[in-house]
Amino acid sequence: MRVLVPVRVLRGESVPPGVAELLAPTDVVVLGYHVLPEQTPPEQGRDQFEERATAALEDAADAFREAGASVETVLAFTNDGDATVDRTAAERDADAVVHLNPATDADDLLVPLVAGTDLDRLSGVVAALAADRDVSVTTLTAPETPGDVPSASDAAGAIRDAGVPAGRITTLERETGGVVDAVADIGREYDAVVVSEPTPTLREFLFGELEDRIAAEGLGPVVVVRSPSDESGDDAPDEGA
């Protein structure tokens, strides 16, 4: 499984120990990027910041290497960070994109279910993270989540069939509220969240409502399983290494 980890290398963002441990069984593409003002060409940003950005990118990559992951790096100077994340995920054929948040462990995963969840892709990613390690998984549903949402038991079955032992899977069905509220309420009890991309574009999820709630609640990292319909961006130019 290949995951993309965007890191704002000149904003002091680093890789928490729990994220490195969580992604140890995967192929990690570390995207170090720096967003420039609209009037600044990416080439100018590279000339000005490349040395410092490369050092920070290698520090981030080393955290994954030391954890045992296979690592590839990409450095980008861009005027549109969201588009760069989308495009790099498509170009590298990433199965998931990780939104960094603090984490010290990788022992339990929360899997909230949203509309449009592709259970095959979701269960494949969860199994890659949890099947061969002592990691527990909890599937979560909430009744006021909009759209056609798979049941927690169906998701648990798919994750079990993908290789996670049944004894390490728990189903949790909330009686009220939506899934975003549920994640905000209980997400801090888990080391990381794994969720399918619920909206047409990856960046809407990464930087949208749930991300805001996660940041506000001080929760852990979020692994967003990409939709098979994701396409390469027709977006702003940047420089990738």
Side-chain angles (χ1 to χ4, degrees):
M1 182 186 75
R2 181 176 294 115
V3 297
L4 178 70
V5 182
V7 180
R8 291 169 290 188
V9 284
L10 297 183
R11 298 283 299 274
E13 196 168 50
S14 60
V15 178
V19 175
E21 181 183 349
L22 175 68
L23 301 183
T26 72
D27 296 331
V28 177
V29 180
V30 184
L31 168 64
Y33 70 102
H34 180 59
V35 179
L36 301 162
E38 288 185 6
Q39 66 273 20
T40 303
E43 296 79 7
Q44 181 178 332
R46 180 173 290 276
D47 290 342
Q48 186 173 356
F49 300 115
E50 182 174 19
E51 183 176 357
R52 187 155 60 96
T54 298
L57 175 59
E58 284 304 310
D59 286 344
D62 284 345
F64 291 110
R65 292 187 184 107
E66 291 168 4
S70 172
V71 181
E72 175 186 357
T73 61
V74 178
L75 179 63
F77 297 91
T78 178
N79 302 113
D80 188 335
D82 297 347
T84 295
V85 171
D86 283 351
R87 187 177 60 251
T88 306
E91 290 175 348
R92 295 303 194 273
D93 194 24
D95 298 292
V97 177
V98 178
H99 185 84
L100 292 177
N101 264 318
T104 56
D105 298 306
D107 296 332
D108 43 35
L109 307 178
L110 179 65
V111 183
L113 299 168
V114 298
T117 293
D118 183 323
L119 286 182
D120 287 340
R121 294 177 68 88
L122 177 68
S123 59
V125 170
V126 171
L129 299 174
D132 297 325
R133 302 190 294 177
D134 188 17
V135 176
S136 63
V137 177
T138 299
T139 61
L140 168 68
T141 56
E144 296 176 26
T145 304
D148 185 12
V149 180
S151 70
S153 59
D154 284 348
I159 292 168
R160 182 194 61 230
D161 292 344
V164 179
R168 287 198 268 116
I169 304 173
T170 301
T171 60
L172 178 58
E173 301 181 24
R174 300 277 291 213
E175 296 182 354
T176 61
V179 74
V180 173
D181 294 331
V183 170
D185 286 345
I186 66 171
R188 69 185 62 187
E189 301 172 14
Y190 299 84
D191 293 318
V193 171
V194 183
V195 62
S196 283
E197 182 180 18
T199 54
T201 66
L202 180 62
R203 63 176 175 268
E204 286 178 18
F205 182 79
L206 277 176
F207 302 105
E209 181 181 12
L210 185 54
E211 189 277 343
D212 292 340
R213 297 294 297 272
I214 288 170
E217 298 295 331
L219 303 181
V222 180
V223 179
V224 182
V225 180
R226 297 181 66 233
S227 166
S229 62
D230 283 348
E231 296 178 353
S232 179
D234 38 299
D235 36 40
D238 66 15
E239 289 187 12

